Amino acid sequence: QVQLVESGGGLVQAGGSLRLSCAASGRTFSTWVMGWFRQTPGKEREFVAAISWTGGRTDYVDSVKGRFTISRDNAKNTVYLQMNSLKPGDTAVYYCAADYGGGMTRVRDLYDYWGRGTQVTVSS
């Protein structure tokens, strides 16, 4: 059993920052690709960022490049998403996900485990 729990969401004004955390339990995932996705009502869950198991490679959707930073601390079984210069369009429920057995991917269906999400609301 693997559990992922997000934290750090909240309400922030446009231009502000939030740092999301995703803590894994149940087993180690140091060799797992980790990703962040987000979803708003009526839309599909969309890819935001991913990080390789070593942390040496990252991938971001164009809309967050230069503003968001994904990182991981394998010793703590935790992945982070630092979100700066937040915009109202970033408002969504943010989910962390873990993918074991493959390379970095943006494909939702390839991720094996998901957290329950944390709400991020950016006001204008």
Side-chain angles (χ1 to χ4, degrees):
Q1 182 179 357
V2 174
Q3 291 181 316
L4 304 176
V5 180
E6 303 95 336
S7 62
L11 175 64
V12 64
Q13 292 183 333
S17 298
L18 286 172
R19 188 192 193 197
L20 305 184
S21 298
C22 175
S25 63
R27 61 166 290 176
T28 60
F29 68 156
S30 60
T31 62
W32 294 18
V33 170
M34 299 297 299
W36 286 96
F37 291 75
R38 64 188 182 187
Q39 187 170 26
T40 57
K43 293 185 178 181
E44 294 184 347
R45 192 169 299 184
E46 67 173 351
F47 171 81
V48 177
I51 186 167
S52 63
W53 71 272
T54 64
R57 297 193 304 278
T58 57
D59 184 30
Y60 301 92
V61 68
D62 286 346
S63 61
V64 308
K65 287 181 178 178
R67 300 188 297 120
F68 290 11
T69 302
I70 187 171
S71 61
R72 67 192 297 165
D73 186 339
N74 288 343
K76 297 180 179 180
N77 287 333
T78 302
V79 63
Y80 306 95
L81 186 68
Q82 178 67 46
M83 305 185 295
N84 299 325
S85 301
L86 283 162
K87 304 175 181 179
D90 296 318
T91 296
V93 177
Y94 283 72
Y95 300 87
C96 67
D99 173 26
Y100 179 77
M104 285 183 29
T105 181
R106 297 185 175 193
V107 179
R108 285 176 284 122
D109 291 347
L110 295 181
Y111 284 84
D112 301 297
Y113 299 98
W114 293 84
R116 298 177 69 179
T118 184
Q119 177 71 48
V120 172
T121 302
V122 184
S123 62
S124 61

